[in-house]
Amino acid sequence: IGTTEVLNIWDEKTSRFSRIGGNEGLPMRNITSLTIDDEKGFVYIGTTEGLILYRPSNKQHTWRYFAGPRYLPDDYIVGLSLNPSGSLDILHESQTTTLKPTKFTLSKKQAHFTNMLTERHRRTNLVSDFPNHDSDNDGLWTSLVLVSS
């Protein structure tokens, strides 16, 4: 059960609710929705400020927080729905987002980021002829002289 302050989780061993708040690691308050992946043992928590993935275990709790344009077009989450494929549908006030978990091998991950870096940051034939050598000149004193003039 989520509230504006804490997450209450039913513990079947003790037949009691355990309260999890900021002191216990809950990254954000104002919980708007919850869904549970029984197969993986995850609790997805929608808040007014993003999505939390909670992985409870015997002694250690793991939290992942997703917010901002990298993950969500809008941080305010209205509802959550877990699909049989393992993807998570996130309902915002004006649209729906789907997060799909993808497994990568290390070499596949390296190829993915190398391709992304090449597309976005490496510019063919736009490289200067500046000699690449170590120097202790960071331009600090030049900048100070120019600013003071």
Side-chain angles (χ1 to χ4, degrees), residues 115-135:
N115 290 339
M116 190 168 38
L117 179 72
T118 301
E119 280 179 18
R120 297 179 184 175
H121 300 290
R122 293 193 181 145
R123 305 291 188 240
T124 308
N125 299 327
L126 296 176
V127 180
S128 76
D129 59 356
F130 182 78
N132 189 8
H133 66 302
D134 290 334
S135 169

Side-chain angles (χ1 to χ4, degrees), residues 15-17 23 25 34 50 90 94 114 116 118 125 128 131 136:
S15 296
R16 292 180 169 226
F17 281 102
N23 292 338
L34 295 168
I90 303 165
S94 61
T114 299
M116 190 168 38
T118 301
N125 299 327
S128 76
D136 64 349

Side-chain angles (χ1 to χ4, degrees), residues 26-67:
L26 184 66
M28 290 292 157
R29 300 183 308 183
N30 296 322
I31 296 170
T32 58
S33 55
L34 295 168
T35 190
I36 298 171
D37 185 343
D38 289 324
E39 184 179 310
K40 296 178 184 173
F42 296 167
V43 179
Y44 294 97
I45 306 165
T47 72
T48 58
E49 299 179 51
L51 175 72
I52 301 167
L53 169 59
Y54 174 54
R55 299 178 184 174
S57 65
N58 293 343
K59 293 185 180 180
Q60 181 183 6
H61 303 294
T62 305
W63 304 90
R64 294 223 31 221
Y65 176 61
F66 303 91

Side-chain angles (χ1 to χ4, degrees), residues 77-95:
I77 296 173
V78 177
L80 298 169
S81 175
L82 190 63
N83 296 320
S85 65
S87 62
L88 179 69
D89 288 335
I90 303 165
L91 179 64
H92 306 281
E93 290 181 336
S94 61
Q95 61 188 333

